[in-house]
């Protein structure tokens, strides 16, 4: 069991370190990827103890690589960066984690003078309070904060982006819940270890949970090179932010030049543009790009779609995609097209997203629609 445990731990840490380096050193210096890489590295921080031990690097008590106070705010900042609302002052959330690392580094470097009194009089007597109370509450609080900010911007994403970006936010939602579950496991395991001492089975459960989330983050991060959504702050009024002067001017112009009687004309202009260019086939298309190509303020385009057609941008685009898909499904050569190919061809990010959108708009699955056209 010890050999299996060491193997899984080593492979998990190796994967985390490699992917962390890839994300942090990305050529575009994408802030979201850098933060995701740092978060991934801090997750396996406690496991580095075993690697260092294998290289005969010993510590009287422990190494400064637990990152209990650094990991959770990193994921929170990552969430803000994906939404495009990360500000310089948000980095203050990392202060406690940095101080934690510095403090434990000092204890590691000068164990005789500082480590023993700290561990004997503070950490050991308060293990349960720290590892079963303070750390889990602190960690889960940041994960909940990430979920809250995602919910605040959910409507904005649907108004300005297509299903690809919505899927990114769904991934963060899922990762939040996985991370919370991980902290529940880790807290339960810590309680068991405090009461019973070293138990290989308990460590194995923790290691397997960490291995899963490392794999989950690594694979997603590698396939998502452009994470930033760049949501405009004024489109989420529940969050107070400082708005650039240029944005104020654009909104002012849009609101004062935009009259109700213009809705229909401008809506047909937008529809004609999308039909002619088939721009909906681009999985990464967003409302800001379309507004720029039409030379219209993005808020104006959004208002036209929302108020005249009574739909958000995501649904607006998906209706074009579904119509294109219906044409391909009923094509004489449709038998040579797979539904996965059709989904990709018309601009959906995945087969599952295609199926969900198709059924929502038509009331049928693609297979049911195909069958209905042949009867």
């Amino acid at each position: 069991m010890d050999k299996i445990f060491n193997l899984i731990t080593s492979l998990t840490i190796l994967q985390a370190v490699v992917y962390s380096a890839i994300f942090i050193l990305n050529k575009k210096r994408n802030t979201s990827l850098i933060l995701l890489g740092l978060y991934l590295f801090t997750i396996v921080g406690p496991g580095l103890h075993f690697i260092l031990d294998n290289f005969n690097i010993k510590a009287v008590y422990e190494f400064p690589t637990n990152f209990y106070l650094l990991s959770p705010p990193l994921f929170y900042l990552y969430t803000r960066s994906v939404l495009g609302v990360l500000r310089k002052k948000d980095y203050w959330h990392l202060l406690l984690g940095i101080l934690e690392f510095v403090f434990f580094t000092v204890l590691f470097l000068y164990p005789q003078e500082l480590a023993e009194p700290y561990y004997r009089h503070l950490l050991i007597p308060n293990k349960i309070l720290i590892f079963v109370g303070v750390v889990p509450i602190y960690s889960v609080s940041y994960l909940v904060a990430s979920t809250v900010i995602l919910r605040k911007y959910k409507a904005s994403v649907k108004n300005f982006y297509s299903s690809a970006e919505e899927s990114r936010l769904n991934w963060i939602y899922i990762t939040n819940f996985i991370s919370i579950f991980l902290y529940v496991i880790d807290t339960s395991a810590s309680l068991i270890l405090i009461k019973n001492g070293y138990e290989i089975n308990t460590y194995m459960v923790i290691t397997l949970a960490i291995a899963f989330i490392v794999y989950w983050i690594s694979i997603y991060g590698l396939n998502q090179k452009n994470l930033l959504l760049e949501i405009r702050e004024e489109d989420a009024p529940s969050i107070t932010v400082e708005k650039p002067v240029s944005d104020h001017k654009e909104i002012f112009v849009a609101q004062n030049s935009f009259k109700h009687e213009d809705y229909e004309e401008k809506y047909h202009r937008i529809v004609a543009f999308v039909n002619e260019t088939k721009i909906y086939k681009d999985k990464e298309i967003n409302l800001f790009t379309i507004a720029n190509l039409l030379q219209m303020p993005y808020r104006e385009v959004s208002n036209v779609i929302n108020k005249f057609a009574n739909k958000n941008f995501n649904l607006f685009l998906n209706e074009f995609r579904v119509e294109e898909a219906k044409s391909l499904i009923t094509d004489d050569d449709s038998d040579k097209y797979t539904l996965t190919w059709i989904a990709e061809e018309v601009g959906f990010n995945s087969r599952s997203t295609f199926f969900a959108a198709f059924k929502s708009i038509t009331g049928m699955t693609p297979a049911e629609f195909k069958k209905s056209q042949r009867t």
Side-chain angles (χ1 to χ4, degrees), residues 282-344:
D282 181 358
K283 298 181 183 66
E284 302 296 327
I285 193 62
N286 57 58
L287 183 138
F288 307 113
T289 301
I290 290 178
N292 286 334
L293 292 172
L294 286 168
Q295 295 185 336
M296 293 171 62
Y298 77 91
R299 290 295 294 273
E300 185 173 344
V301 177
S302 177
N303 284 334
V304 169
I305 295 173
N306 291 166
K307 296 179 181 178
F308 180 80
N310 194 29
K311 62 188 72 170
N312 58 50
F313 181 71
N314 191 11
L315 177 58
F316 174 75
L317 272 191
N318 283 344
E319 287 182 345
F320 286 97
R321 291 166 174 167
V322 167
E323 284 301 312
E324 179 87 7
K326 286 163 67 176
S327 298
L328 292 172
I329 290 172
T330 55
D331 188 273
D332 293 336
D333 297 325
S334 63
D335 289 337
K336 69 181 182 181
Y337 305 141
T338 66
L339 291 177
T340 301
W341 181 87
I342 291 175
E344 294 282 334

Side-chain angles (χ1 to χ4, degrees), residues 101-118:
F101 175 73
V102 171
F103 181 72
F104 278 98
T105 300
V106 172
L107 292 181
F108 173 68
L109 294 175
Y110 302 99
Q112 296 300 322
E113 292 81 359
L114 297 173
E116 187 174 351
Y118 166 77

Side-chain angles (χ1 to χ4, degrees), residues 19-20 23-24 26 29-43 70-87 90-94 142-143 145-147 149-150 153 164-177 179 213 216-231:
Y19 279 88
S20 295
F23 298 159
I24 293 171
N26 71 89
R29 306 304 300 163
N30 185 301
T31 302
S32 297
L33 277 177
I34 292 173
L35 289 169
L36 186 63
L38 290 172
Y39 176 67
L40 184 60
F41 180 78
T42 58
I43 288 175
L70 187 60
S71 183
L74 275 172
F75 192 79
Y76 173 71
L77 295 186
Y78 161 73
T79 302
R80 293 190 67 91
S81 71
V82 169
L83 292 170
V85 295
L86 180 65
R87 297 159 294 180
D90 292 323
Y91 286 101
W92 281 103
H93 288 280
L94 301 177
Y142 270 104
L143 294 173
S146 297
T147 303
I149 194 173
L150 285 171
Y153 280 95
E165 286 75 16
E166 188 179 8
S167 297
R168 292 175 187 169
L169 297 198
N170 288 337
W171 179 86
I172 299 178
Y173 269 117
I174 295 171
T175 304
N176 263 322
F177 289 116
S179 298
I213 196 169
W216 173 265
I217 293 175
S218 300
I219 298 304
Y220 174 83
L222 192 64
N223 291 305
Q224 298 291 332
K225 297 300 177 65
N226 298 309
L227 296 174
L228 186 61
L229 298 189
E230 296 180 345
I231 291 175

Side-chain angles (χ1 to χ4, degrees), residues 171-226:
W171 179 86
I172 299 178
Y173 269 117
I174 295 171
T175 304
N176 263 322
F177 289 116
I178 291 175
S179 298
I180 291 173
F181 180 65
L182 177 63
Y183 282 116
V184 170
I185 292 177
D186 189 57
T187 301
S188 302
S190 297
L191 186 59
I192 293 171
L193 293 172
I194 289 171
K195 291 180 64 178
N196 302 328
Y198 175 83
E199 287 188 2
I200 186 63
N201 291 332
T202 304
Y203 277 114
M204 182 63 80
V205 170
I206 298 173
T207 299
L208 290 174
I210 293 174
F212 174 77
I213 196 169
V214 165
Y215 175 81
W216 173 265
I217 293 175
S218 300
I219 298 304
Y220 174 83
L222 192 64
N223 291 305
Q224 298 291 332
K225 297 300 177 65
N226 298 309

Side-chain angles (χ1 to χ4, degrees), residues 44 50 65 67 72 105 150 170 196 223 238 252 334 348 373:
V44 297
F50 298 97
T65 58
F67 304 119
T105 300
L150 285 171
N170 288 337
N196 302 328
N223 291 305
S238 56
F252 179 81
S334 63
F348 283 102
Q373 297 302 303

